């Protein structure tokens, strides 16, 4: 903003030293004063405009607040049946539900045998939605782990797992009704690991404090008995969807896999199934135990099973 008083003093001093015309001085002062008044007028207009806008916003904000309060009153005062029902659905249940038609991997496949088709249905029914199935060449088990990894597009050979049916021949029970002391278990572990029956025995013994060592003797179940219990033949055993409900023990190596998924038997010797580790743990509720040791590299290269 121009300072009129300062400008006048400056021009007076200058006019005296340089003999400027007083009329010119008067004209300059007049123009300067007009500009100052014009700028002040603009500032007043801007202030008025800003105040008006703020007032308008305040009114609109109050209207929004009143609308929200009215809506809350309506919702809390007259709840309808649908809102009450929705309140009983937990976020977990809502998030877990998925439309079966969206799960293409679990839809019927023309190539499926009855066992594989039943597994797909089991996964849909029990919420194992991460499951996906792959049919493999007939010479699958004659190939190396690296070849199998590539066929399945698995992250590594450590993600390829097998399931075996174990029997505690000294068990005091004759069936699988006692989860912590079952006569039969399905053990799941990576092909890259060596199974150790002594570690399995120690794990189950720890769940049965006070029982003597003579009550435990684990071995592979008879193939016919395994088929009867699971409904799956050799090379096709899956730790789910079995004929009889059998407790499952998975290796802690599987729980540590990254990315967290693993491949296993899919109900037929020519079909493999992949599942998410966390979802498998949630749905199957297996025991997780350390009952294996890593195979030497030279054995892995020669492994055919």
């Amino acid at each position: 903003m121009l300072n009129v008083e300062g400008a006048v003093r400056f021009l007076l001093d200058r006019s005296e030293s340089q003999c400027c015309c007083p009329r010119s001085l008067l004209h300059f002062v007049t123009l300067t004063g007009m500009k100052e008044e014009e700028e002040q007028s603009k500032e007043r207009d801007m202030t008025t405009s800003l105040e008006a806008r703020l007032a308008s916003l305040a009114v609109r904000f109050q209207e929004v607040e009143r609308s929200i309060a009215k809506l809350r009153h309506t919702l809390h005062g007259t709840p309808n049946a649908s809102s009450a029902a929705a309140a009983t659905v937990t976020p977990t249940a809502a998030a877990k539900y998925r439309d079966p038609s969206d799960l293409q991997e679990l839809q019927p496949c023309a190539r499926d045998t009855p066992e594989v088709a039943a597994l797909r249905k089991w996964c849909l029914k029990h919420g194992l939605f991460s499951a996906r199935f792959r049919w493999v060449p007939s010479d699958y088990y004659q190939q190396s782990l690296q070849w199998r990894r590539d066929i399945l597009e698995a992250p590594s050979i450590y993600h390829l797992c097998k399931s075996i049916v174990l029997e505690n021949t000294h068990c005091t029970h004759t069936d699988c009704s006692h989860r912590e002391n079952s006569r039969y278990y399905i053990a799941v572990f990576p092909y890259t690991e060596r199974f150790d029956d002594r570690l399995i025995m120690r794990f189950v013994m720890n769940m049965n404090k006070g029982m003597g060592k003579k009550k435990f003797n684990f071995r592979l179940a008879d193939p016919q008995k395994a088929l009867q219990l699971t409904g799956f033949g050799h090379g096709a055993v899956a730790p789910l969807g079995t004929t009889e409900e059998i407790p499952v023990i998975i290796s802690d190596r599987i729980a540590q896999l990254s990315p967290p998924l693993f491949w296993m038997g899919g109900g037929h010797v020519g079909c493999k199934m992949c599942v998410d580790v966390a979802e498998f743990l949630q749905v199957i509720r297996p025991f997780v135990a350390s009952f294996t040791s890593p195979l030497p590299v030279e054995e892995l290269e020669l492994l055919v099973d």
Side-chain angles (χ1 to χ4, degrees):
M1 182 184 298
L2 294 174
N3 189 321
V4 177
E5 183 180 354
V8 171
R9 186 178 294 109
F10 170 78
L11 290 173
L12 285 173
D13 293 340
R14 186 176 180 185
S15 64
E16 291 176 356
S17 61
Q18 298 183 7
C19 298
C20 291
C21 176
R23 182 176 296 177
S24 298
L25 176 61
L26 179 61
H27 180 68
F28 176 81
V29 170
T30 302
L31 290 176
T32 302
M34 292 175 62
K35 288 183 179 180
E36 184 176 5
E37 289 180 359
E38 183 179 349
E39 289 183 3
Q40 290 176 349
S41 176
K42 288 181 179 179
E43 287 183 357
R44 286 194 297 270
D45 292 341
M46 289 178 62
T47 301
T48 302
S49 176
L50 181 59
E51 290 175 349
R53 291 179 63 187
L54 289 174
S56 176
L57 287 173
V59 171
R60 292 173 62 186
F61 181 79
Q62 291 173 357
E63 291 176 352
V64 171
E65 286 284 282
R66 283 194 294 269
S67 297
I68 292 175
K70 184 177 180 181
L71 181 60
R72 284 176 176 169
H73 176 74
T74 301
L75 291 176
H76 289 288
T78 56
N80 54 39
S82 60
S83 62
T88 64
V89 179
T90 63
T92 302
K96 186 176 179 181
Y97 174 77
R98 292 182 62 182
D99 186 345
S101 62
D102 292 338
L103 302 168
Q104 295 302 319
E105 287 285 349
L106 298 180
Q107 301 308 309
C109 174
R111 191 175 179 181
D112 285 354
T113 62
E115 295 83 3
V116 177
L119 270 184
R120 291 186 195 265
K121 292 180 180 178
W122 191 97
C123 292
L124 277 174
K125 180 179 179 180
H126 294 85
L128 194 61
F129 298 142
S130 64
R132 48 196 172 101
F133 295 78
R134 290 291 181 275
W135 285 92
V136 297
S138 58
D139 61 346
Y140 178 86
Y141 282 110
Q142 282 70 55
Q143 303 295 336
S144 67
L145 291 181
Q146 289 76 11
W147 183 91
R148 301 181 203 178
R149 173 201 62 199
D150 295 341
I151 283 292
L152 294 173
E153 298 181 341
S156 74
I157 60 174
Y158 304 100
H159 289 75
L160 308 179
C161 301
K162 64 189 303 183
S163 302
I164 60 175
V165 181
L166 300 174
E167 179 185 5
N168 177 8
T169 59
H170 293 179
C171 185
T172 55
H173 306 292
T174 59
D175 55 22
C176 304
S177 58
H178 297 77
R179 178 176 161 83
E180 288 77 18
N181 188 21
S182 174
R183 187 173 189 88
Y184 299 96
Y185 287 96
I186 295 180
V188 188
F189 57 97
Y191 273 97
T192 55
E193 299 283 313
R194 176 182 283 113
F195 172 75
D196 191 331
D197 62 323
R198 295 170 302 176
L199 295 178
I200 279 283
M201 183 179 72
R202 185 182 305 168
F203 175 75
V204 178
M205 283 181 62
N206 287 337
M207 293 192 293
N208 295 272
K209 300 293 185 181
M211 294 187 67
K213 188 176 180 179
K214 292 183 179 180
K215 299 295 183 181
F216 303 93
N217 179 51
F218 284 93
R219 69 175 188 183
L220 283 174
D222 177 79
Q224 288 302 315
K225 185 63 177 180
L227 177 60
Q228 176 188 337
L229 292 170
T230 65
F232 308 124
H234 178 72
V237 176
L240 53 100
T242 51
T243 304
E244 296 188 26
E245 188 171 346
I246 309 171
V248 177
I249 306 176
I250 72 166
S251 167
D252 59 344
R253 300 287 186 177
I254 295 177
Q256 299 166 8
L257 286 172
S258 180
L261 57 87
F262 66 101
W263 286 89
M264 57 186 167
H268 185 277
V269 69
C271 187
K272 306 305 166 192
M273 175 171 58
C274 178
V275 296
D276 175 80
V277 172
E279 190 176 62
F280 181 85
L281 295 176
Q282 179 182 0
V283 174
I284 306 300
R285 295 176 54 248
F287 295 109
V288 180
S290 175
F291 58 87
T292 63
S293 58
L295 286 172
V297 176
E298 54 272 18
E299 288 191 38
L300 288 177
E301 294 176 349
L302 300 174
L303 181 63
V304 176
D305 183 15

